[in-house]
Amino acid sequence: HKRAALRSKTANPSKNDGLLRSLVEHQCHRNDMPHAKRKTVSVCKVPEEARLSLATDRASRNSDGDVMHSDMNDPALIPRITILKNIINFFCEDTDGSSQGSSGDLNNSSQNGRRLTLGGMGGLGKTTLAAMAACLTELRSEFDHILWVNLGSYFKGGSDRNNLSYEMYLDCVQNLCKQLNVSSVFNCEVFLQPGDSKMNISSKYIQAMENLKHEMSKIVQGMKILIVLDDVWSHEDVELFYFGEHATSSFDMLLTTRTLDLEPRIGSKLINVDFLNRDEAYYLCSIEAGLVGTIDTQDVEIIDSIIEKCGNLPLAVRAAGRLVKTSRTLDPDMSLYEISKILLTSTESPRMDHVNDILDRSFSFVKDTKASFALKVLFSAFAIVFHRDDVSRPWVSLDAVKLLWKALRYSDDLKELHCSLKKFKLVAVEQIADLMCVMGVFDRKYKNMPNQNERQKWFRIHHDLMFEYGKTFASKVNIYGGTPVKYRQHEITHYDECIEVSCDLILSRNTEKLNNAIVESFKSNSTSETAENMEAYTINWLPLHMIKAGLHDKASSLLMSNNYLGTQIALNGIENGIRLMMSFIRSYEKALNASSFLPTSPMISVISFASIYISSFTSSAIMHDSIRREIAEALILLGIELQKFSKWAKSLDLFTEVLNIFRSSIGGDYTQDITRVCRHIDSCALRNIILVQRGSCGILCLKHVNALCSKKKESGVALELKSHPGYGIVRMDDKFNFTGNKIMSWDYIFLGVGLKESSLVVNYDGRSMQSLPSGHKLAVHAGVLAESMPVAIMSEVQFHNPDNKETNEKSKKKLCAGSMLTVDQDGSIYPSMAPHLRLGIAEYPNLYLVDRGSPNRAVFRYFVHLQSMQKYNSETQPNEAPGTKLELDSHPGMGIVGYKLIHNPIVNKGQLGALRLGPAEEALSGRFNDENHLVFTGMYNGLAMTTGFAQNLKCGKMVYASTCDDSWFYDFKVNVDGTISPTSAINLVLGFQVPGILNLRS
């Protein structure tokens, strides 16, 4: 603004200023004024700077302009056709105006002095696009000369300015003369006299710059010129290069910038350069990683995850691809999956430093070192505090930003940095946030809020990688007693004191510290006059900040509050409100360092509370279709979250409730919704993982075999399946079950196939797999290596009689054999002692206990006969009676079927048999004996229905057939509704992880 005022003054000089102008003009006068020549061929020369911008390390370059054709064909250059066409259309329109478009079209521009800006954050490829445009025949045919000036290069290396000085401008003009092949000797030395005021000194320099501009106008007189100004920081500098102002030449400008032009020139146009689309980013990453032609189906998903991490930013995608290539070159045994985990999880990634440097330059807009550092601190605090797992760049209200930044700026730690901002009159939080919008690191929008008359400003981080930059900065800098501390390995050199500590530890400390600060700031403001403006913060952020501050009990209490949930739904709606609560739940589990969702988590109670609250809305007699759909979507979200805690039966009940909501709807077409809900119901119908014959159908094959078998892996690998896309090996129960005998015992959870999001995470040492974080081993249950034997995760065996060493040792070897597993190259898994077997899935779902009112309960067709047998068996039923067929009414055409008998020499020295849902013609028959045991006839003759130990009776407990054992539970009774319950738990009944049609109808 000061320069503009002085320029205005020199444009209308006073009498005293006339002497100054004459002096400067005399110094700049030259007798032989050089003049640029028109092109002598059909196309003009490509600027050297443009060629260098397109150069990669993939091909050799020479100085001839002819090689530019091969440069443009470089496979690492992404031809962003739409943007390049817009550039061509803007500058190559017909001189008669016939190609002009509407007022909003890029073609609508003045013929002389057209100005087009490519805007966006660093790393988007703005310079590359400008260089590609400068190489195009269409533009080279249109102009006599295409000139290039890299303005950003003048503000690197510790420059204390963000706009051009006289010396910088003179260097730019000399560079342009060199490109025009004319003499660049300008005798425009500025004479300063003792006693000159600052205003007078500035006036002399600005007048000299204006005269240089006037001289350049004479040099390009009559030419058709396009000048590319790359990396513009101060938009005021652009006017210094508009040499068509004092000439009749056609003078157009193409700009690239990351900053916002608050006062754009009339007639100028802006193209916001977008990120790469998925196909472009995938191609670029594959080229840079050297993976073209070698990518299999499994690698596609891994590359997609890398691209997502890079936010589709060209510079980051390129750097990530090169990191992959380097890693594979240095360690050929390293899998793409392992490399991706390093990229996706590591806070420190030295090969990505170039990306961080580009992003860091955005803060060079403020040239004072401490003030710039203070802005970085505030930005990084915003990044790590206002971040959710479901969205890294959420919109944040100005009131919430004030809570955080005021808490920081007035703290003892940041007093010095606060003073550095005050020197630039950056006092108000709103001013600082607006400045960050100009710098291109924030986006801004206005939003109407309830109970507020004026629209409020909302801010968010401009791009995912800017969030990553903020997180990286927060992992390298900490502040103690008002002094920022540097860390030796991070190479932050502005501060003297050095200590050694890991990035992850610094980030963890800063995260907890900052979240505590904003929670305390909220408490101090909750009683003030601004409390009414804090409702949005309370609903959208307070639980998360409590969790990250370590206030877990307070967070869970808040989430289970009727007032909080009611306000959440009123403010955000049913579906969005529940979606936000689910993100809080995931953050809660993450904060507790839980690799898997634990059954003791209080978040299970939060989910149950929310599901009951939402289900209460369905009792309304009149419900609009949109409300009905929101309720259904909310219950689906809750059901999916319960699956992560292995609450399969409970999640199935919620999905079934949703199915009933849609089926009971009178108006609207819910066919697609019903189909989708049925898929969720199917996801709960877990199939047990059992041993099957090699070569049979249903064999499981792991997806990440190389990563699992790698000796250099640092963390666990998820047991996602290649044989069943979208699925993985999961726990079938949320709690460990107890089994054993008088000699020994252990805890176990059977394994099944479920959604990949719930997959077990394990380590594999080449002999056995250990589940994380518990360390329990995957093993064939009881060590019985026989077909149809279930697979489980098992704890260490506890021997109750240590003196019986010989028996204990034999049993231990038997169980150890069950945990020795080998992973084949095709991803299949087999017991090392039984290579003829493989891990596979059972053909039918298992019988287990469900809630009595569950739609998944089993209702028996001939239950009246079973009742009469149970009531009068001791008087009328002989032991050799044939029994009653166990066919089902709830699941038409189905019944309870058996599979194969297994001899179990360890647990009860008898036989075991699985009970499953299968075809009615294969249904087993059974009868009750005088001890209320349901004894089977036929295939399982003499075996009785059991749940194992009596203390384990709960929803989700598996039911099977076995030889009678005194320590196991066998007592069942037939209910009047046709169901069968354990006599000591009549709230539970037999059922499956498949809802019955009859139950749905009722």
Side-chain angles (χ1 to χ4, degrees):
H1 290 292
K2 184 184 295 183
R3 182 190 290 174
L6 288 169
R7 188 175 291 146
S8 175
K9 182 178 180 181
T10 55
N12 300 284
S14 63
K15 181 177 180 180
N16 293 331
D17 292 332
L19 181 61
L20 176 63
R21 173 181 289 274
S22 300
L23 177 62
V24 176
E25 287 182 351
H26 175 74
Q27 294 295 329
C28 294
H29 179 71
R30 289 175 291 170
N31 294 326
D32 300 322
M33 177 63 65
H35 192 273
K37 297 180 179 179
R38 292 186 179 276
K39 61 187 177 187
T40 57
V41 291
S42 60
V43 293
C44 67
K45 185 178 178 181
V46 176
E48 180 70 18
E49 198 66 59
R51 284 209 314 240
L52 293 174
S53 298
L54 293 176
T56 68
D57 56 4
R58 188 170 286 96
S60 60
R61 305 285 182 246
N62 60 51
S63 58
D64 295 333
D66 296 337
V67 301
M68 285 313 302
H69 185 69
S70 61
D71 287 350
M72 290 290 287
N73 291 330
D74 191 315
L77 292 177
I78 305 297
R80 306 172 78 172
I81 303 300
T82 302
I83 296 178
L84 292 176
K85 281 186 176 179
N86 281 334
I87 296 174
I88 293 171
N89 292 338
F90 184 80
F91 289 115
C92 298
E93 59 185 355
D94 295 337
T95 55
D96 60 2
S98 60
S99 65
Q100 286 188 0
S102 61
S103 59
D105 199 313
L106 284 177
N107 289 327
N108 186 20
S109 60
S110 60
Q111 286 300 316
N112 188 25
R114 293 171 293 197
R115 186 175 300 178
L116 180 62
T117 301
L118 302 180
M121 65 176 290
L124 278 172
K126 302 182 296 295
T127 298
T128 301
L129 282 168
M132 293 176 77
C135 295
L136 294 174
T137 303
E138 290 87 345
L139 284 188
R140 295 171 64 192
S141 303
E142 179 74 13
F143 296 99
D144 291 310
H145 295 279
I146 298 179
L147 309 177
W148 188 291
V149 178
N150 184 353
L151 292 180
S153 62
Y154 292 96
F155 307 123
K156 294 180 181 179
S159 170
D160 61 350
R161 314 174 55 92
N162 63 8
N163 58 5
L164 292 175
S165 64
Y166 169 74
E167 290 78 10
M168 293 176 182
Y169 182 61
L170 177 60
D171 187 68
C172 290
V173 170
Q174 290 172 340
N175 183 15
L176 292 174
C177 288
K178 183 178 179 181
Q179 295 180 50
L180 291 168
N181 199 24
V182 298
S183 173
S184 59
V185 180
F186 291 93
N187 296 318
C188 290
E189 183 178 355
V190 177
F191 292 100
L192 302 178
Q193 299 178 358
D196 279 349
S197 65
K198 289 184 179 180
M199 180 68 74
N200 199 24
I201 293 172
S202 298
S203 179
K204 289 182 179 181
Y205 278 121
I206 291 174
Q207 186 62 60
M209 294 167 78
E210 288 291 336
N211 281 290
L212 280 174
K213 177 182 175 182
H214 187 70
E215 294 294 320
M216 280 300 301
S217 298
K218 295 178 181 178
I219 292 174
V220 299
Q221 179 74 27
M223 301 287 106
K224 294 187 70 175
I225 302 291
L226 172 64
I227 184 169
V228 180
L229 297 182
D230 185 31
D231 202 9
V232 174
W233 282 84
S234 173
H235 290 272
E236 186 184 85
D237 290 336
V238 175
E239 294 302 323
L240 292 173
F241 295 91
Y242 179 48
F243 303 132
E245 185 177 1
H246 304 293
T248 58
S249 55
S250 174
F251 198 87
D252 297 333
M253 307 180 81
L254 176 60
L255 318 178
T256 73
T257 183
R258 68 180 70 189
T259 60
L260 181 66
D261 187 1
L262 297 177
E263 298 178 357
R265 185 173 182 265
I266 296 176
S268 63
K269 300 296 179 182
L270 170 67
I271 295 178
N272 284 310
V273 179
D274 207 349
F275 307 100
L276 299 176
N277 60 39
R278 187 266 176 192
D279 292 338
E280 292 170 339
Y282 181 88
Y283 172 77
L284 179 59
C285 186
S286 303
I287 285 287
E288 294 291 354
L291 295 174
V292 175
T294 64
I295 301 175
D296 56 26
T297 306
Q298 178 178 329
D299 291 338
V300 170
E301 189 172 341
I302 296 174
I303 294 177
D304 281 339
S305 65
I306 294 175
I307 292 170
E308 184 180 356
K309 176 72 172 180
C310 295
N312 288 39
L313 187 74
L315 178 67
V317 173
R318 188 185 298 275
R322 291 180 178 178
L323 175 59
V324 170
K325 185 175 183 179
T326 303
S327 300
R328 289 165 65 92
T329 303
L330 296 176
D331 187 356
D333 295 331
M334 199 173 191
S335 69
L336 184 59
Y337 177 80
E338 291 175 278
I339 298 171
S340 71
K341 289 193 72 174
I342 295 173
L343 278 170
L344 300 179
T345 61
S346 178
T347 305
E348 304 174 80
S349 185
R351 293 182 182 87
M352 298 291 280
D353 280 349
H354 180 55
V355 178
N356 278 331
D357 290 343
I358 293 294
L359 301 178
D360 186 78
R361 284 204 66 212
S362 298
F363 293 90
S364 299
F365 186 82
V366 176
K367 287 299 177 177
D368 180 82
T369 306
K370 284 191 177 181
S372 178
F373 187 88
L375 291 176
K376 294 177 187 178
V377 170
L378 295 177
F379 176 81
S380 66
F382 183 102
I384 63 177
V385 170
F386 295 114
H387 167 72
R388 298 202 311 261
D389 288 339
D390 59 327
V391 53
S392 58
R393 302 185 302 118
W395 288 100
V396 183
S397 67
L398 177 61
D399 288 328
V401 181
K402 287 178 179 178
L403 279 179
L404 175 63
W405 283 359
K406 284 185 176 180
L408 292 180
R409 290 173 61 198
Y410 299 118
S411 65
D412 292 335
D413 283 346
L414 289 176
K415 279 184 178 179
E416 182 182 352
L417 296 179
H418 174 62
C419 293
S420 68
L421 292 174
K422 286 181 67 176
K423 288 194 300 184
F424 289 86
K425 298 182 179 180
L426 294 173
V427 179
V429 169
E430 187 173 359
Q431 288 178 318
I432 299 174
D434 286 339
L435 174 62
M436 289 190 181
C437 292
V438 174
M439 293 160 54
V441 299
F442 269 4
D443 294 332
R444 177 179 57 205
K445 73 173 183 178
Y446 294 86
K447 185 177 178 181
N448 292 319
M449 295 298 297
N451 305 321
Q452 295 187 20
N453 296 327
E454 297 181 359
R455 294 194 305 164
Q456 191 179 50
K457 286 183 180 179
W458 289 63
F459 299 92
R460 73 172 181 184
I461 294 174
H462 179 65
H463 184 257
D464 289 346
L465 272 185
M466 287 305 301
F467 158 73
E468 293 294 336
Y469 167 82
K471 189 174 74 169
T472 301
F473 185 86
S475 70
K476 294 183 177 182
V477 176
N478 210 342
I479 298 171
Y480 292 104
T483 304
V485 180
K486 74 169 183 175
Y487 299 94
R488 188 170 291 112
Q489 69 272 35
H490 305 151
E491 300 179 356
I492 295 178
T493 58
H494 183 65
Y495 297 95
D496 296 329
E497 184 181 352
C498 265
I499 62 174
E500 297 286 346
V501 67
S502 73
C503 283
D504 290 335
L505 180 59
I506 303 168
L507 180 61
S508 177
R509 287 175 179 173
N510 283 338
T511 300
E512 184 172 347
K513 181 178 179 180
L514 291 168
N515 280 281
N516 265 301
I518 193 170
V519 170
E520 291 301 319
S521 179
F522 169 76
K523 289 180 180 178
S524 63
N525 279 272
S526 60
T527 57
S528 67
E529 296 179 356
T530 60
E532 62 181 18
N533 298 332
M534 291 293 104
E535 186 178 74
Y537 170 78
T538 305
I539 297 304
N540 296 328
W541 292 108
L542 183 58
L544 179 63
H545 293 159
M546 285 180 169
I547 292 167
K548 291 185 176 181
L551 307 173
H552 300 127
D553 292 340
K554 291 184 178 180
S556 58
S557 298
L558 178 62
L559 291 173
M560 290 185 65
S561 162
N562 277 302
N563 182 52
Y564 172 83
L565 186 53
T567 310
Q568 173 72 261
I569 291 173
L571 191 64
N572 294 320
I574 298 174
E575 181 185 351
N576 290 334
I578 293 299
R579 196 178 296 276
L580 185 57
M581 287 190 66
M582 294 304 98
S583 74
F584 295 155
I585 289 172
R586 288 189 286 272
S587 296
Y588 186 99
E589 296 300 318
K590 185 177 178 181
L592 294 180
N593 297 317
S595 298
S596 57
F597 288 66
L598 302 179
T600 55
S601 172
M603 292 299 103
I604 298 176
S605 299
V606 172
I607 296 173
S608 298
F609 166 76
S611 64
I612 294 171
Y613 191 97
I614 298 299
S615 296
S616 65
F617 297 154
T618 60
S619 60
S620 175
I622 301 176
M623 190 187 307
H624 193 272
D625 282 353
S626 60
I627 301 298
R628 186 186 303 276
R629 195 178 298 277
E630 279 205 60
I631 292 173
E633 293 293 342
L635 292 176
I636 288 174
L637 290 171
L638 293 167
I640 292 173
E641 205 67 23
L642 280 173
Q643 289 182 332
K644 296 176 183 178
F645 295 94
S646 298
K647 293 285 187 181
W648 304 102
K650 294 290 186 183
S651 66
L652 182 54
D653 288 345
L654 287 181
F655 295 147
T656 308
E657 182 179 349
V658 173
L659 187 60
N660 286 329
I661 289 174
F662 286 136
R663 283 184 168 174
S664 63
S665 302
I666 299 175
D669 183 9
Y670 294 100
T671 305
Q672 292 184 348
D673 296 294
I674 291 173
T675 303
R676 182 163 55 92
V677 175
C678 288
R679 289 199 205 101
H680 285 295
I681 291 175
D682 288 342
S683 72
C684 297
L686 304 185
R687 301 291 190 269
N688 269 85
I689 295 178
I690 60 173
L691 293 180
V692 299
Q693 286 290 334
R694 179 180 180 179
S696 62
C697 61
I699 290 178
L700 303 179
C701 294
L702 297 177
K703 185 175 184 179
H704 306 301
V705 179
N706 293 336
L708 184 66
C709 299
S710 172
K711 296 179 181 179
K712 298 184 179 181
K713 58 182 178 293
E714 299 179 357
S715 58
V717 177
L719 295 183
E720 192 176 341
L721 295 173
K722 178 174 62 176
S723 55
H724 299 71
Y727 290 84
I729 296 177
V730 303
R731 299 178 302 175
M732 292 195 70
D733 204 349
D734 61 321
K735 295 180 181 178
F736 279 90
N737 298 296
F738 172 82
T739 191
N741 51 33
K742 295 178 181 179
I743 300 174
M744 59 187 171
S745 61
W746 64 86
D747 295 330
Y748 70 94
I749 295 179
F750 286 130
L751 299 180
V753 173
L755 295 178
K756 67 178 183 180
E757 289 78 9
S758 303
S759 297
L760 280 177
V761 177
V762 302
N763 272 332
Y764 179 57
D765 59 9
R767 290 173 54 87
S768 62
M769 294 184 189
Q770 297 83 35
S771 172
L772 298 178
S774 65
H776 294 144
K777 290 184 177 181
L778 273 70
V780 180
H781 195 234
V784 181
L785 303 181
E787 188 179 355
S788 81
M789 197 64 189
V791 179
I793 49 175
M794 297 172 52
S795 67
E796 292 291 332
V797 179
Q798 301 295 320
F799 292 99
H800 307 309
N801 187 3
D803 296 331
N804 196 352
K805 294 183 179 180
E806 184 177 352
T807 304
N808 291 350
E809 192 63 29
K810 286 183 180 179
S811 299
K812 189 172 183 179
K813 286 183 179 179
K814 186 80 174 177
L815 291 170
C816 183
S819 65
M820 295 174 62
L821 301 174
T822 300
V823 180
D824 212 343
Q825 290 183 349
D826 63 356
S828 62
I829 310 170
Y830 61 88
S832 302
M833 306 296 289
H836 64 289
L837 299 174
R838 291 291 187 273
L839 267 63
I841 55 173
E843 185 178 3
Y844 301 123
N846 278 67
L847 182 69
Y848 74 143
L849 297 178
V850 301
D851 288 328
R852 186 163 182 174
S854 171
N856 315 312
R857 64 190 184 277
V859 179
F860 290 83
R861 171 164 290 188
Y862 306 116
F863 75 93
V864 175
H865 191 215
L866 287 171
Q867 271 184 318
S868 63
M869 289 174 62
Q870 188 174 27
K871 188 173 182 180
Y872 304 109
N873 63 68
S874 60
E875 302 174 2
T876 61
Q877 299 292 334
N879 289 335
E880 62 272 12
T884 301
K885 192 174 184 179
L886 301 180
E887 191 175 345
L888 301 173
D889 253 355
S890 55
H891 300 70
M894 310 295 282
I896 295 179
V897 302
Y899 186 58
K900 287 187 177 182
L901 286 175
I902 303 169
H903 179 65
N904 187 350
I906 292 183
V907 180
N908 64 357
K909 309 295 184 182
Q911 292 181 312
L912 294 174
L915 297 175
R916 296 172 180 156
L917 177 68
E921 56 269 20
E922 299 177 15
L924 297 170
S925 296
R927 57 181 174 78
F928 278 95
N929 65 14
D930 55 2
E931 295 179 330
N932 286 328
H933 295 178
L934 181 55
V935 181
F936 296 100
T937 61
M939 177 183 178
Y940 282 175
N941 189 40
L943 272 63
M945 183 179 288
T946 181
T947 59
F949 289 96
Q951 62 265 39
N952 286 337
L953 295 182
K954 59 183 177 61
C955 183
K957 174 68 175 174
M958 195 172 296
V959 181
Y960 43 96
S962 81
T963 306
C964 289
D965 186 292
D966 293 340
S967 60
W968 285 17
F969 182 86
Y970 294 90
D971 299 347
F972 292 88
K973 62 167 292 188
V974 182
N975 301 312
V976 295
D977 60 357
T979 59
I980 297 179
S981 299
T983 55
S984 60
I986 59 174
N987 61 307
L988 302 174
V989 295
L990 301 179
F992 307 94
Q993 287 173 317
V994 179
I997 295 176
L998 178 63
N999 301 332
L1000 290 176
R1001 289 172 179 169
S1002 62

